[in-house]
Amino acid sequence: MAMSAEPTRFEGHAIPSVIEVISTLRTYINNAMTAPEPRRIKANNKKWLLSLGDSCAELLEYIGFSRTETEWTPPKPDISDTAPYTTALNILLDDVDDELLILLYQQPEDERRIAKLPIELSPAMPEFERILGSKDYKRSFASRTLDLTKGKTDEHPFYEGLGARLDFHDDLIIFGYESQITCDPRNGPYYLECLQGIADGRESEDLQTKVAIEASSGKISIKDVREAYKSFSLEYGSQPYDDETIIGMFQSRVADAPRQESDLRRALNIIGHERGSMSIQHVASNTVTTYEQALTWLSATEDMDNSFLTSMYSVKVNENPENTEIARHCVALIAEKRNSSALRTWLQTGELGEVEMEFGQAYMRLGIENRTIDDEMVLSAYNSLAQDAPSQIKDLKAALRAIAKSRKSTYLQSFLDSGGNDYKASEWPVGLENIGNTCYLNSLLQFYFTIKPLRELVLNFDNYKMQLDDGSWSTKKVGSRKVSRKEIERAQRFLLELQKLFQSMITVPDNKVTPEQELARLTLISSSTEENMRRMSILSAQRPSLGDIGGVPIQGPLPTPAPTVDSPDTIMGNGIETGMEAPKEAEVIPADEVSSEGTLVEAPAMDPNVDNDFMVIDAVEKPDQQERIFEDKENLAPTQEEIPRPSTPENQMKPLAESSPSRANEQARHRSPTKEITDNPESSQLANQDATALPGPPNRPPPVPPRQKPEEQKRALQEEVEIGAQQDVTEVIANVLFQLQCAIKAESVDETGEQIDQIKKLFFGKQKSYTTNERGDIRSKEEFFSDIKVDVASGPRDIYAALDGAFDVQEVEVGGSMEPQYATISQLPPVLQVLVQRAQFDPKTKTSFKSINHLELKETIYMDRYMDSSDPDLQQRRKACWGWKKELSKLEARRLKLTKNEMDLPMPEALRMAAEYLKQLSAGSSADAINVKPELIKSLENAYENAKVELSALEDKIKSLSTNINSQFADLRDIPYRLHSVFIHRGQVSAGHYWIFIYDFANSIWRKYNDGYVNEVLDTSVIYEPELSTRPATPYFLVYVKDDLKSELVEAVCRNVVEQPQASQEDTVMSDDARDVAGPG
């Protein structure tokens, strides 16, 4: 067009080809997408006029070009935005560029060859994989998958069951298992069988560990279910059996083989859990606590009269006299429910005498399977049930009394007699009632209450509250990521609930306070777990659904596990957490910690070199883009999550920003303007048809959405608290600190935008890691930390030896080579928290266990030796100490070889006994004597002497090195920290009970806070000395405070008791009297 308008000016110029025109436009677009200030184009530029110019003005203006009389200005997209783009103009230009590339590819091949344009289209599959979140997922080594399906070429159904591929890494297999369990808990046994089958096929230690952990927490597989059905000559899955049939088969088998009753009950319990049948489970446990269960146990029905019930009682007792007590208990429950004076009289005047709970039934009543647990755990079980069902307190006390009598326990009897302590309320801390597996929560709340600056912040929350009406929250960054408005609002609810509790702990005239369920939920359950529960609620028939595909409910996309970056800068020493990452929203929490049915425990420690083997997603450093897309981040893919094992820098996760389906949807919405323009008349016609087919407005109001009944809401809340009570220790602490920071305003921000506030200053320090490569280059990285993780797996040690493990030099793998790395502390927090990692895994037995090795605590520790310093003397001391420890490790290994063998005899003693035995053989009678060469005996005697000398020298050398190590930093005493709190756990890796010891610096006493009871510790050996027991109580979490600030940091007693008015007290007495007249409720 330009050439025809000005032929003289363009004489000698060729008409540009289609390829040249398209390539020119692509060049301008690419320059605009990358250059900070795209170069303007003269309007009379010949190449511009021939290729594009005024003839393409409408197209150019549509894609963002603008013009004046003398020049064209290219579009100005946001060059900081990266793919997948989020701004409308970037998305438009990216679409246009893709379409131009397609047009180039469609040109004849010879023309493309002449133009020398290497046009190659990228396969679409990688882009689909990126959008679906499956790009560059972590794959297992080929050698791990060769025998996976035992020679079959097709993928095993076990993989299909977990939604996995043959080459998935073990971490993704575990993620698939946990996702299936979360979405479809009803079929948990099948998914566990899939996991077990894959673990066996791969011979994977990590997967077998996961299977063992699941089994230890009571999970069952389809294999277990099949075996259970076989116990009753039933074939699983062949036909539907009703509960009555199964219970009848059980009762028949027990009658035929009474010695197998325990095994049969175990099998019946598995079937009950698999079917979700409470009636089968109650029969299996032989526990009767309700009217309905009593009828079932007696094989009676509700319409049976009293005379028939007593007959059924006689039948049961005649079948098995050992059932006498439980049979009487059933009759008593029925009498209470029916308010039957006839049954009560029968129980009181019958030949069997007065009903008194048998101690075996008492343990069942309190839900205690292990009868060897200590009195404190028995009392904890009682308190939990009494709190849940106060109307059954009489029956629960009868059970506790029976146990106290059988144990001859003065501790339990004293509780039954008094139920409290004699300390003056205004001078003594209050206890916190256990509201259902919350002993760890109670210990944590007691600890936080004694930290004076934190308590004052909570009580005066309005002075620190983050304001949400000025927009400043949009830049708030906690735990290395931005937080959403919803998270802030949730955190502020948590602070308000905590404020109510603290106020009660100060003013209540009683000696104990009951925490609210809502506080327990917000403390124990992070926003990510809460979002997971919200997703699960979609499965409920009482909630709206997203529809289904093939009968399977649609629940929305689930993210893949977040990745980690295996770089030397992220690898830390043995157990120090570098920069606590905040709990993340909208991510399904993996359940691979060893959760407790009784309380919260620490997840088992795994090999960090395996544990952090996750995939890396493109552009993981762009979580900020997600913030610009949605205010409601509950629907975005998670940027990071603390996984259910001890948190270390090696297993910190990276964002899945690029893989978020929500991001893809958002991008599609930004692209929508370009899609609305169409020249296709058919599509326009179809669109018009769709528009005319839309239904008119409804002629009646919409239905009221179904809502949970009050009792269902209460039960759901209790279930959430119980789930939260099984979370990992580190998760709960991280959740609390994260919410505290989210709820309050910042005092300042650091160079990365991280919020600096009272919580950060109080609980967070900074550590610096140093890594040296083969060339001698040293890299360093400084990060926040909130606790130091120490290990006692290899044996007893003192607190310094345990802390050394977090800072000492160690070899880490970087790029295929091993490089030394050590850590220091660049900034200490006033409140120093130490997590003792006790959950371990035995690779031989494939089971998890709790390490009970003693950790020797010190009243005061000095942190000088761990500080970051340029002092050459300190660095030289460290290097010398590292060398001694390396030598000590070799000597101890040699000593072990000389002192431990298959015969469990020290090597010198074994050699001596061998020599003596050969002497006896050769010195026998002539008929029995055996010819033994004297040289052999002499060699054994020499070996004995040499081994004895070597062992003695080893002992001396080990003692000398140990002395050097222990005294190397003894003179560095400028930074003292005092022991303030010790969290104690008694039990197994999957269950147990927590309490806490807290030191009162003002009164110079230790107190023991055990749920609702707070008592002075008269013998401090229970804190500092090892307990001589096969199941000792052990420290799990320690708190030290800076010595020169202890009076400002800690106040153990804060009471301002507000006595009840006299009228209220009289009313209370009247109420009690009225209740006494009415009889037990």
Side-chain angles (χ1 to χ4, degrees):
M1 186 173 181
M3 185 174 288
S4 60
E6 298 180 75
T8 303
R9 182 184 178 190
F10 294 100
E11 184 176 356
H13 289 270
I15 298 175
S17 66
V18 173
I19 290 180
E20 290 173 332
V21 172
I22 296 174
S23 298
T24 299
L25 182 55
R26 287 194 71 217
T27 299
Y28 285 121
I29 291 175
N30 290 331
N31 288 340
M33 295 285 283
T34 56
E37 189 64 34
R39 193 169 54 186
R40 292 184 174 86
I41 308 158
K42 295 293 183 181
N44 60 357
N45 181 288
K46 290 183 178 181
K47 183 177 180 181
W48 170 262
L49 289 172
L50 287 174
S51 298
L52 299 165
D54 294 341
S55 60
C56 299
E58 185 177 356
L59 169 63
L60 293 171
E61 290 175 348
Y62 174 75
I63 63 176
F65 284 80
S66 59
R67 65 175 174 176
T68 63
E69 293 183 358
T70 60
E71 62 184 9
W72 282 83
T73 301
K76 296 180 180 180
D78 181 3
I79 62 173
S80 65
D81 192 9
T82 57
Y85 301 107
T86 59
T87 58
L89 182 56
N90 289 58
I91 293 172
L92 175 60
L93 293 176
D94 185 52
D95 286 347
V96 171
D97 185 64
D98 287 342
E99 292 175 8
L100 292 175
L101 184 62
I102 295 295
L103 290 175
L104 284 174
Y105 187 77
Q106 291 175 345
Q107 301 308 307
E109 184 178 355
D110 55 343
E111 292 184 17
R112 285 188 279 132
R113 189 165 50 250
I114 294 172
K116 298 180 180 180
L117 291 176
I119 303 167
E120 294 184 3
L121 295 181
S122 301
M125 185 56 68
E127 181 67 7
F128 285 133
E129 290 176 343
R130 181 189 63 77
I131 294 173
L132 295 175
S134 60
K135 180 182 180 181
D136 298 330
Y137 60 83
K138 191 68 178 179
R139 291 173 168 82
S140 183
F141 296 113
S143 61
R144 296 286 304 280
T145 62
L146 289 177
D147 298 328
L148 205 55
T149 57
K150 303 300 182 185
K152 297 181 181 179
T153 56
D154 297 334
E155 292 191 359
H156 197 279
F158 287 160
Y159 285 93
E160 295 179 5
L162 299 185
R165 296 292 305 275
L166 184 68
D167 60 351
F168 269 18
H169 189 270
D170 287 353
D171 293 325
L172 292 179
I173 296 293
I174 292 174
F175 171 79
Y177 165 75
E178 290 166 350
S179 298
Q180 295 289 55
I181 290 292
T182 300
C183 299
D184 184 19
R186 176 70 176 78
N187 289 311
Y190 168 69
Y191 300 128
L192 182 55
E193 183 183 37
C194 292
L195 180 66
Q196 188 173 18
I198 296 173
D200 293 342
R202 290 189 172 191
E203 298 180 355
S204 164
E205 184 175 306
D206 285 350
L207 294 182
Q208 289 170 346
T209 298
K210 178 63 177 175
V211 171
I213 291 172
E214 294 295 274
S216 67
S217 63
K219 301 286 180 61
I220 57 175
S221 69
I222 288 293
K223 180 180 179 181
D224 299 325
V225 176
R226 291 195 185 99
E227 293 298 324
Y229 273 91
K230 285 182 180 179
S231 300
F232 306 116
S233 300
L234 301 175
E235 186 175 349
Y236 173 71
S238 63
Q239 57 179 298
Y241 301 104
D242 56 32
D243 290 357
E244 289 74 16
T245 299
I246 295 172
I247 293 172
M249 292 296 294
F250 162 76
Q251 293 171 338
S252 175
R253 283 300 176 90
V254 169
D256 294 339
R259 292 185 178 180
Q260 300 178 13
E261 181 175 355
S262 60
D263 293 335
L264 293 171
R265 287 192 184 280
R266 191 177 302 110
L268 186 66
N269 190 50
I270 290 174
I271 296 174
H273 279 286
E274 188 273 335
R275 295 169 65 95
S277 169
M278 294 305 298
S279 61
I280 291 181
Q281 292 180 48
H282 285 310
V283 173
S285 63
N286 205 29
T287 301
V288 180
T289 58
T290 67
Y291 171 69
E292 291 76 16
Q293 294 168 16
L295 290 174
T296 301
W297 194 91
L298 290 173
S299 301
T301 58
E302 194 168 3
D303 58 350
M304 288 183 179
D305 59 21
N306 293 338
S307 59
F308 197 93
L309 286 172
T310 55
S311 299
M312 295 303 298
Y313 164 89
S314 300
V315 170
K316 290 290 185 180
V317 171
N318 290 334
E319 287 177 350
N320 187 353
E322 294 181 359
N323 288 333
T324 300
E325 294 300 329
I326 191 172
R328 290 183 60 82
H329 181 62
C330 290
V331 176
L333 286 174
I334 296 172
E336 182 179 357
K337 175 68 176 180
R338 295 183 175 184
N339 195 20
S340 170
S341 58
L343 286 178
R344 291 194 185 101
T345 301
W346 184 85
L347 286 168
Q348 294 172 359
T349 61
E351 295 180 359
L352 297 177
E354 183 181 356
V355 175
E356 182 177 286
M357 191 175 293
E358 187 265 336
F359 74 91
Q361 176 66 18
Y363 281 107
M364 294 179 187
R365 181 65 184 90
L366 296 185
I368 299 173
E369 296 181 0
N370 182 5
R371 300 184 185 184
T372 63
I373 63 175
D374 59 22
D375 290 349
E376 290 166 334
M377 295 182 70
V378 171
L379 186 58
S380 176
Y382 164 83
N383 285 330
S384 178
L385 292 173
Q387 197 66 34
D388 292 341
S391 63
Q392 300 179 21
I393 194 75
K394 183 178 179 181
D395 191 44
L396 294 171
K397 279 191 174 181
L400 187 62
R401 186 171 291 106
I403 294 174
K405 182 179 178 181
S406 67
R407 290 179 169 220
K408 299 180 180 178
S409 169
T410 55
Y411 177 80
L412 295 178
Q413 193 59 50
S414 174
F415 168 81
L416 288 165
D417 293 340
S418 63
N421 59 47
D422 298 325
Y423 300 113
K424 189 175 180 180
S426 60
E427 301 174 357
W428 202 256
V430 299
L432 296 178
E433 291 280 19
N434 192 312
I435 59 174
N437 301 340
T438 58
C439 53
Y440 176 76
L441 168 67
N442 290 341
S443 299
L444 193 64
L445 293 174
Q446 292 282 17
F447 156 57
Y448 285 136
F449 182 80
T450 64
I451 303 300
K452 188 175 179 180
L454 174 59
R455 186 177 66 228
E456 291 177 350
L457 181 150
V458 172
L459 294 174
N460 300 285
F461 175 45
D462 287 344
N463 297 335
Y464 301 91
K465 186 175 182 180
M466 179 76 192
Q467 299 302 317
L468 296 175
D469 54 1
D470 58 2
S472 61
W473 65 268
S474 61
T475 60
K476 188 181 182 74
K477 192 174 182 181
V478 176
S480 302
R481 71 169 178 84
K482 291 185 177 180
V483 295
S484 68
R485 182 185 180 108
K486 279 192 174 182
E487 287 179 301
I488 297 173
E489 291 171 343
R490 183 187 195 274
Q492 292 181 348
R493 293 199 308 273
F494 163 70
L495 258 292
L496 291 174
E497 291 292 334
L498 189 59
Q499 184 184 72
K500 288 194 298 184
L501 176 69
F502 281 8
Q503 288 170 344
S504 296
M505 294 172 71
I506 295 172
T507 61
V508 70
D510 299 325
N511 58 12
K512 60 185 69 176
V513 172
T514 302
E516 295 289 339
Q517 292 276 0
E518 179 66 5
L519 173 60
R521 186 182 71 84
L522 292 172
T523 306
L524 296 172
I525 301 177
S526 65
S527 56
S528 56
T529 306
E530 187 175 60
E531 174 60 17
N532 182 33
M533 294 176 180
R534 184 188 66 80
R535 287 178 176 174
M536 289 179 63
S537 69
I538 297 175
L539 290 173
S540 172
Q542 299 175 342
R543 291 183 177 269
S545 169
L546 296 177
D548 64 271
I549 297 177
V552 180
I554 301 173
Q555 302 177 65
L558 287 177
T560 54
T564 62
V565 179
D566 256 349
S567 72
D569 291 339
T570 61
I571 300 174
M572 267 306 302
N574 184 16
I576 182 167
E577 182 179 4
T578 63
M580 173 176 286
E581 295 296 343
K584 300 301 181 281
E585 74 284 9
E587 176 167 340
V588 177
I589 295 288
D592 61 346
E593 59 266 338
V594 187
S595 60
S596 165
E597 295 178 3
T599 185
L600 169 146
V601 295
E602 171 211 351
M606 302 298 179
D607 184 353
N609 295 322
V610 177
D611 219 20
N612 63 351
D613 203 2
F614 292 100
M615 62 182 179
V616 178
I617 300 297
D618 296 340
V620 296
E621 69 279 4
K622 290 293 182 182
D624 292 352
Q625 296 177 8
Q626 294 181 334
E627 304 293 336
R628 294 196 294 271
I629 297 177
F630 289 130
E631 174 188 319
D632 178 10
K633 290 172 57 182
E634 302 294 333
N635 296 314
L636 279 177
T639 59
Q640 204 166 26
E641 179 60 63
E642 291 192 10
I643 57 180
R645 40 192 178 264
S647 177
T648 67
E650 288 85 354
N651 61 30
Q652 294 295 329
M653 297 183 175
K654 295 299 179 185
L656 283 179
E658 298 289 69
S659 307
S660 170
S662 298
R663 178 181 292 278
N665 295 339
E666 180 69 11
Q667 180 166 323
R669 287 197 291 274
H670 281 297
R671 292 185 178 185
S672 60
T674 66
K675 304 303 179 184
E676 292 173 359
I677 299 175
T678 177
D679 295 329
N680 188 341
E682 293 184 6
S683 63
S684 301
Q685 183 179 357
L686 288 172
N688 293 333
Q689 290 175 356
D690 290 341
T692 58
L694 289 174
N699 55 13
R700 60 183 182 277
V704 177
R707 294 178 172 84
Q708 286 184 314
K709 299 178 181 178
E711 59 270 18
E712 293 173 342
Q713 293 176 342
K714 182 177 180 180
R715 184 169 60 252
L717 181 60
Q718 174 67 19
E719 289 173 354
E720 289 188 13
V721 171
E722 289 177 355
I723 292 172
Q726 299 175 18
Q727 300 304 306
D728 179 65
V729 169
T730 54
E731 286 181 353
V732 176
I733 296 174
N735 183 42
V736 171
L737 295 180
F738 173 67
Q739 291 193 99
L740 289 171
Q741 288 191 269
C742 284
I744 63 177
K745 56 190 175 184
E747 292 184 352
S748 62
V749 295
D750 66 8
E751 63 277 5
T752 67
E754 178 76 9
Q755 171 173 307
I756 305 299
D757 51 41
Q758 292 88 339
I759 301 302
K760 186 74 78 175
K761 291 179 179 179
L762 196 59
F763 294 100
F764 288 78
K766 285 188 176 181
Q767 63 81 30
K768 196 178 262 188
S769 61
Y770 294 89
T771 308
T772 306
N773 63 19
E774 295 176 346
R775 300 185 301 275
D777 300 330
I778 299 177
R779 302 182 305 280
S780 66
K781 185 173 184 179
E782 187 177 51
E783 294 180 300
F784 284 107
F785 72 92
S786 65
D787 62 48
I788 301 174
K789 294 177 175 60
V790 300
D791 186 17
V792 292
S794 58
R797 61 191 61 189
D798 68 9
I799 184 64
Y800 282 122
L803 288 171
D804 288 349
F807 299 97
D808 282 351
V809 68
Q810 60 178 330
E811 296 290 321
V812 296
E813 184 177 356
V814 180
S817 62
M818 303 303 293
E819 298 181 357
Q821 182 185 82
Y822 70 94
T824 62
I825 298 176
S826 55
Q827 177 183 315
L828 275 165
V831 179
L832 180 64
Q833 302 176 117
V834 180
L835 176 64
V836 186
Q837 299 184 114
R838 290 193 175 275
Q840 305 294 330
F841 177 75
D842 186 346
K844 293 182 179 179
T845 62
K846 307 299 182 185
T847 57
S848 55
F849 67 95
K850 173 186 170 183
S851 170
I852 59 174
N853 290 323
H854 177 59
L855 177 63
E856 180 185 337
L857 305 181
K858 296 186 181 298
E859 182 180 326
T860 304
I861 60 173
Y862 299 90
M863 299 300 292
D864 309 56
R865 66 185 70 182
Y866 305 116
M867 299 306 295
D868 191 61
S869 172
S870 58
D871 181 4
D873 176 64
L874 178 59
Q875 190 64 17
Q876 190 60 37
R877 290 196 196 195
R878 286 172 178 160
K879 289 181 179 179
C881 198
W882 296 338
W884 293 335
K885 288 180 179 179
K886 188 174 182 179
E887 184 180 357
L888 180 62
S889 178
K890 293 179 180 179
L891 294 176
E892 288 176 336
R894 176 60 179 167
R895 180 177 63 178
L896 183 65
K897 191 172 183 179
L898 291 176
T899 55
K900 299 290 184 181
N901 52 50
E902 294 179 357
M903 296 181 293
D904 200 22
L905 283 174
M907 183 62 71
E909 184 65 14
L911 292 170
R912 185 192 66 79
M913 292 178 65
E916 290 293 331
Y917 179 67
L918 292 179
K919 285 181 181 180
Q920 293 175 9
L921 290 178
S922 61
S925 62
S926 58
D928 299 331
I930 297 176
N931 186 19
V932 179
K933 294 182 178 181
E935 296 84 0
L936 176 57
I937 297 175
K938 185 63 177 176
S939 296
L940 288 172
E941 290 175 339
N942 291 338
Y944 157 66
E945 293 294 338
N946 292 337
K948 188 169 66 170
V949 170
E950 181 184 3
L951 189 58
S952 176
L954 282 174
E955 295 290 355
D956 292 341
K957 186 64 175 176
I958 288 172
K959 184 178 180 180
S960 174
L961 285 174
S962 298
T963 301
N964 290 343
I965 293 170
N966 293 333
S967 62
Q968 179 73 339
F969 304 98
D971 59 319
L972 303 181
R973 303 167 72 88
D974 293 333
I975 311 177
Y977 272 69
R978 292 287 299 278
L979 184 61
H980 166 256
S981 301
V982 182
F983 289 70
I984 299 291
H985 175 265
R986 185 193 298 280
Q988 303 169 352
V989 70
S990 58
H993 178 60
Y994 275 99
W995 64 89
I996 184 172
F997 295 111
I998 297 179
Y999 189 68
D1000 184 344
F1001 290 103
N1003 295 296
S1004 301
I1005 62 171
W1006 281 95
R1007 293 186 182 90
K1008 178 180 180 179
Y1009 298 70
N1010 187 6
D1011 286 335
Y1013 303 94
V1014 182
N1015 298 290
E1016 182 179 355
V1017 178
L1018 301 177
D1019 182 6
T1020 57
S1021 65
V1022 298
I1023 303 173
Y1024 294 104
E1025 300 297 328
E1027 180 180 319
L1028 301 178
S1029 168
T1030 57
R1031 297 174 59 254
T1034 52
Y1036 246 81
F1037 196 78
L1038 316 172
V1039 180
Y1040 283 86
V1041 296
K1042 199 168 185 181
D1043 184 57
D1044 58 355
L1045 297 176
K1046 60 181 181 292
S1047 60
E1048 302 171 26
L1049 293 171
V1050 176
E1051 186 180 33
V1053 181
C1054 179
R1055 300 283 271 133
N1056 184 18
V1057 176
V1058 178
E1059 298 292 344
Q1060 291 183 343
Q1062 185 65 28
S1064 298
Q1065 294 175 357
E1066 291 175 358
D1067 291 344
T1068 302
V1069 172
M1070 290 176 64
S1071 176
D1072 290 341
D1073 291 343
R1075 189 162 55 249
D1076 289 341
V1077 171

